[in-house]
Amino acid sequence: MAIELSDELIELERAAWTEQQENGLTMETAARVQAAITAHAEATAQSRYAVEMELKRVVRHPEPDTD
């Protein structure tokens, strides 16, 4: 089963990943991402763990463009 991610969730994780790369990840950002992951998983009946892992894969290791 494919894991569904919202654009909002991806943008939140991108912001957190940027902060983390700059050694500036705040507790507020991390908590906001975790809350959004949990809410999304519950709303879509998906595993929270699977949502988080797919989200990190999409943001941190995106597929190269094949255009």
Side-chain angles (χ1 to χ4, degrees):
M1 177 172 136
I3 301 297
E4 299 174 20
L5 302 172
S6 69
D7 291 340
E8 178 184 357
L9 195 56
I10 292 169
E11 288 305 313
L12 282 171
E13 179 62 23
R14 280 188 182 138
W17 180 234
T18 298
E19 285 184 17
Q20 188 172 357
Q21 288 179 307
E22 296 170 351
N23 293 321
L25 180 62
T26 64
M27 292 294 291
E28 293 81 16
T29 300
R32 194 167 33 250
V33 172
Q34 287 300 311
I37 289 169
T38 300
H40 180 77
E42 289 174 355
T44 58
Q46 299 179 94
S47 158
R48 193 203 65 77
Y49 177 77
V51 168
E52 183 172 2
M53 294 307 296
E54 179 65 6
L55 181 60
K56 287 181 179 182
R57 186 196 66 75
V58 166
V59 170
R60 298 176 186 191
H61 308 286
E63 297 292 323
D65 288 336
T66 57
D67 295 340

